Amino acid sequence: MAQLIDLQRRIKAIKSTKKVTHAMRLIAVSTYSKLKDKQQSFLKYKNSSEEIFSRLLKAQTKWRSNIIFPEDETNQNPLCIIISSSRGLCGPFHNNLAKHAKEKLRFRRHQKPVFITIGKRAQRIAEDIMKNRGQGSFVLKKHYESFNMENISKISAEITNEIFNAKASYSLVCTLSNTFKNLFAQIPKLNIVAPFKHSQQSNIIESENYIWEQDHNEILQQLIKNYVSSNIWNSILESILSENAARFVAMDSATNSAESHAETLSLQYNK
């Protein structure tokens, strides 16, 4: 009798858990579906604007900016923007990002890296990187505990202003985040924002003549801001998309496991 009561309690608990994981699965796939179209549209805009920017730079070969063409060849003060997530229950999403960070973000003794972290786990990743280097303390310029589609623009604008208003130009600007491959695969990626490389673009014509209605310095300066901001914006968006895809897979697996386990216990109960 006691065993039957225990089995009944376990079946009830598993079915309750299944309801939660099923609801989270539906929310994740719904959010994923909404973001997928936005991400594809924004990626087209980002790539087109970068190609225009690269073409204009080709036309003004003598023009330079310390923001995207830093003069510090020793890479003294790199800026690393790490993007994780503000919630858990998304499978190996965080562990894969942390592992990739340890492999790619290796600093030398002369370097003084600065971090901007987005998401709860991102700060911990930055701490682990510096501990592996043998240095417990590090410069954390900004930290965003939570983020969503409503505040992506604000966050990317604030980070862009930080890059442009820094007392000394950063020798490197990069973003580290999970990128979306498909619903079942999210790949951590280190994206170099600065220095800017023309090789990142395709179909660039070597020489074109443009009529500049405004001063070319003003136009290119504004395009730099657009380039930096759009790269940060896209990295955050891809991270949110990847997070929801990973959460859907994790919750789908949990729901199926709960259902299978409940069926097994129900068979034992009904013997």
Side-chain angles (χ1 to χ4, degrees), residues 148-162:
N148 50 47
M149 284 303 299
E150 282 69 33
N151 63 359
I152 285 184
S153 297
K154 180 183 177 182
I155 292 173
S156 59
E158 287 181 0
I159 295 174
T160 301
N161 289 333
E162 166 58 34

Side-chain angles (χ1 to χ4, degrees), residues 110-260:
H110 74 277
Q111 293 178 297
K112 298 177 181 178
V114 178
F115 291 92
I116 293 177
T117 54
I118 304 173
K120 290 181 179 179
R121 303 288 184 90
Q123 187 171 347
R124 189 183 304 171
I125 291 173
E127 290 172 355
D128 290 341
I129 291 169
M130 299 309 289
K131 284 179 182 177
N132 290 338
R133 188 193 183 199
Q135 183 177 341
S137 62
F138 63 97
V139 179
L140 181 63
K141 207 70 178 178
K142 287 180 180 291
H143 174 67
Y144 299 91
E145 187 75 10
S146 61
F147 62 100
N148 50 47
M149 284 303 299
E150 282 69 33
N151 63 359
I152 285 184
S153 297
K154 180 183 177 182
I155 292 173
S156 59
E158 287 181 0
I159 295 174
T160 301
N161 289 333
E162 166 58 34
I163 293 169
F164 276 79
N165 297 330
K167 292 181 179 179
S169 298
Y170 293 109
S171 57
L172 173 79
V173 177
C174 65
T175 62
L176 179 73
S177 64
N178 280 296
T179 58
F180 178 81
K181 184 177 181 182
N182 55 53
L183 186 59
F184 302 98
Q186 301 80 42
I187 302 173
K189 181 182 178 182
L190 182 69
N191 177 46
I192 305 298
V193 179
F196 178 81
K197 294 182 180 179
H198 289 286
S199 59
Q200 294 172 344
Q201 307 303 318
S202 59
N203 302 321
I204 301 297
I205 299 173
E206 290 297 326
S207 60
E208 290 179 304
N209 294 322
Y210 294 97
I211 298 174
W212 301 81
E213 293 188 358
Q214 291 176 264
D215 180 62
H216 71 271
N217 290 310
E218 293 181 10
I219 295 173
L220 290 172
Q221 193 68 19
Q222 184 58 44
L223 286 174
I224 291 175
K225 279 195 172 183
N226 184 70
Y227 161 73
V228 173
S229 179
S230 63
N231 268 270
I232 296 169
W233 207 97
N234 185 65
S235 294
I236 299 173
L237 178 59
E238 276 213 78
S239 182
I240 296 175
L241 184 65
S242 300
E243 177 190 343
N244 281 280
R247 185 169 290 113
F248 165 75
V249 173
M251 292 301 100
D252 183 63
S253 178
T255 301
N256 292 335
S257 296
E259 186 174 1
S260 176

Side-chain angles (χ1 to χ4, degrees), residues 27-57:
I27 294 170
V29 75
S30 174
T31 307
Y32 160 82
S33 299
K34 292 176 182 177
L35 293 179
K36 184 64 178 134
D37 292 336
K38 289 184 179 181
Q39 190 268 339
Q40 289 178 338
S41 299
F42 185 79
L43 191 60
K44 289 179 182 178
Y45 161 77
K46 173 182 168 291
N47 291 338
S48 297
S49 62
E50 283 184 18
E51 184 170 347
I52 292 170
F53 181 43
S54 193
R55 286 175 180 269
L56 294 176
L57 285 177

Side-chain angles (χ1 to χ4, degrees), residues 5 7 13 23 65-66 79 102 111 121 168 190 195 202 237 252 264:
I5 293 173
L7 281 172
S65 168
N66 289 335
L79 172 66
K102 290 178 182 178
Q111 293 178 297
R121 303 288 184 90
L190 182 69
S202 59
L237 178 59
D252 183 63
T264 302

